[in-house]
């Protein structure tokens, strides 16, 4: 799924202006957490096509993404980054969006449209 | 095995503003000298978890990085205390004594040390009330 489609599904707004090309990037996996150590432990592959969904709005989220080579973060529950953090995200080349949906609703909407968790298709 | 590049850093207790800077520098340094992205990612994750532990659990500490002539990378995290009373517990996934403040920053899942152990090729930790030393080695194909 394209970044711009994800933004539409979540009615998400970009936290700053990004180069147009970022909206054409493809994503297939989502990892949702407020615990950065969980992200650091569990996102082991496909980092370039993984979206990090989180309610944790501080520079540690950005650092975590940097270490993992994750490039796309969506902040849930209408949270925003402070200006310093936005500047830092820009320097790191991270794309950051904010949505008013809660974690549960944001996950549900993306899941419904076919994005999978980090282990791929849910089989139940 | 001989070190061909050595770097040292200081990490300050409770310094959340700068948390991650050391690991970020280590990551870009290794990228510059051409270590493979897969290995760098493991090192970056282990380094960041260890750096955060110095900030949230220890009274700050020092980080030493060596790139060896065989392409391996050694990291040492050394702090002056208070030490880890029960290492076995500390290495158990989910076990954490993180403060409210640390939890508010997204830490305290009790996943750091187990994850560091998982991604490193050699893992050694020694701890006493006089401090903790964590030594890691990452092999990398040259
Ligand atoms: N350098 C250190 N000095 C003192 N205690 C430490 C140190 N590093 C780890 N610990 C202790 O070991 C426990 C487990 O550490 P670990 O990194 O696995 O989890 P955490 O830091 O609590 O949470 P997470 O890493 O998931 O954010 C810590 O809660 C703390 O009690
Ligand atoms: Mg930790």
């Amino acid at each position: 799924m394209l970044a711009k489609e994800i933004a539409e599904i979540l009615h998400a707004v970009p936290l700053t202006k990004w180069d147009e090309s970022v909206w054409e990037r493809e994503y297939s996996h989502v990892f949702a957490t407020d615990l950065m150590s969980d992200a650091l432990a569990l996102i082991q592959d496909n980092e370039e096509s993984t979206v990090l969904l989180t309610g944790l709005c501080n520079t540690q989220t950005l650092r975590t993404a940097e270490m993992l080579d994750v490039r796309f973060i969506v902040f849930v529950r209408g949270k925003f980054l402070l200006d310093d953090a936005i500047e830092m995200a820009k320097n790191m080349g991270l794309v950051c969006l904010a949505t008013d949906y809660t974690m549960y609703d944001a996950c549900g909407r993306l899941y419904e449209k076919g994005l999978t968790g980090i282990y791929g298709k849910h089989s139940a | 095995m001989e070190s061909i590049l050595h770097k040292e850093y200081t990490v300050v207790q409770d310094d959340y503003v700068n948390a991650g800077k050391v690991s970020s520098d280590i990551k870009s340094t290794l990228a510059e000298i051409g270590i493979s992205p897969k290995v760098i990612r493991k090192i970056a994750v282990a380094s960041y978890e260890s750096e955060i532990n110095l900030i949230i659990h220890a009274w700050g500490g020092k980080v030493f990085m060596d790139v060896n002539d065989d392409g391996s990378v050694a990291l040492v995290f050394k702090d002056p205390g208070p030490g880890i009373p029960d290492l076995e517990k500390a290495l158990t996934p989910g076990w954490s004594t993180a403060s409210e403040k640390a939890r508010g920053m997204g830490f305290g899942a009790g996943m750091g040390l187990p994850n560091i152990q998982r991604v490193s090729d050699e893992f050694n930790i020694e701890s006493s009330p006089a401090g903790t030393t964590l030594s890691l080695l990452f092999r990398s194909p040259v």
Side-chain angles (χ1 to χ4, degrees):
Chain A
M1 187 182 292
L2 297 177
K4 64 181 177 202
E5 297 175 279
I6 293 171
E8 270 167 37
I9 291 167
L10 296 177
H11 300 175
V13 293
L15 293 183
T16 180
K17 209 168 153 35
W18 313 104
D19 190 89
E20 282 305 315
S21 67
V22 307
W23 303 110
E24 304 299 325
R25 286 192 207 148
E26 278 278 351
Y27 294 87
S28 43
H29 303 81
V30 177
F31 189 74
T33 189
D34 288 350
L35 290 170
M36 291 305 112
S37 294
D38 272 356
L40 289 160
L42 297 172
I43 302 177
Q44 295 177 17
D45 309 285
N46 305 317
E47 54 274 3
E48 261 126 49
S49 58
T50 297
V51 181
L52 178 62
L53 221 57
T54 184
L56 186 82
C57 253
N58 60 44
T59 54
Q60 297 320 308
T61 307
L62 307 180
R63 287 288 181 204
T64 298
E66 180 191 17
M67 298 308 150
L68 287 170
D69 297 323
V70 164
R71 303 259 79 99
F72 193 8
I73 308 176
V74 181
F75 294 100
V76 298
R77 305 192 295 262
K79 297 247 182 92
F80 282 87
L81 284 174
L82 298 174
D83 288 349
D84 285 4
I86 290 176
E87 198 52 41
M88 188 169 148
K90 263 180 143 170
N91 292 336
M92 289 175 177
L94 299 173
V95 176
C96 298
L97 311 185
T99 175
D100 282 337
Y101 287 112
T102 63
M103 186 74 110
Y104 182 78
D105 288 326
C107 290
R109 294 179 76 87
L110 295 176
Y111 194 93
E112 192 181 43
K113 295 285 195 233
L115 287 184
T116 72
I118 47 168
Y119 299 126
K121 200 83 205 148
H122 188 66
S123 54
Chain B
M1 192 167 79
E2 221 171 288
S3 172
I4 51 173
L5 174 68
H6 176 81
K7 277 195 151 187
E8 292 186 26
Y9 309 86
T10 301
V11 175
V12 178
Q13 178 179 19
D14 280 333
D15 184 5
Y16 293 94
V17 173
N18 291 306
K21 275 200 183 154
V22 169
S23 304
S24 182
D25 187 80
I26 287 176
K27 190 174 193 252
S28 53
T29 303
L30 296 177
E32 267 166 39
I33 62 172
I35 305 281
S36 92
K38 268 222 135 32
V39 177
I40 291 180
R41 189 168 178 278
K42 292 201 282 179
I43 296 172
V45 165
S47 171
Y48 183 51
E49 287 284 12
S50 307
E51 180 182 354
I52 295 288
N53 279 353
L54 292 183
I55 295 165
I56 70 177
H57 302 302
W59 304 324
K62 293 244 177 231
V63 183
F64 305 91
M65 178 189 71
D66 283 285
V67 181
N68 299 313
D69 54 6
D70 64 355
S72 64
V73 177
L75 293 181
V76 177
F77 298 83
K78 203 170 167 48
D79 69 62
I84 304 176
D86 188 336
L87 271 180
E88 201 182 316
K89 268 193 189 155
L91 291 168
T92 307
W95 197 83
S96 174
T97 64
S99 67
E100 271 313 305
K101 189 157 185 221
R103 286 176 200 274
M105 297 300 291
F107 294 92
M111 294 290 284
L113 285 172
N115 193 26
I116 296 163
Q117 199 166 20
R118 179 182 64 84
V119 297
S120 55
D121 295 308
E122 282 177 31
F123 174 99
N124 187 61
I125 185 163
E126 277 166 34
S127 193
S128 79
T132 301
T133 302
L134 173 66
S135 311
L136 308 173
L137 188 78
F138 301 83
R139 289 194 197 91
S140 107
V142 231

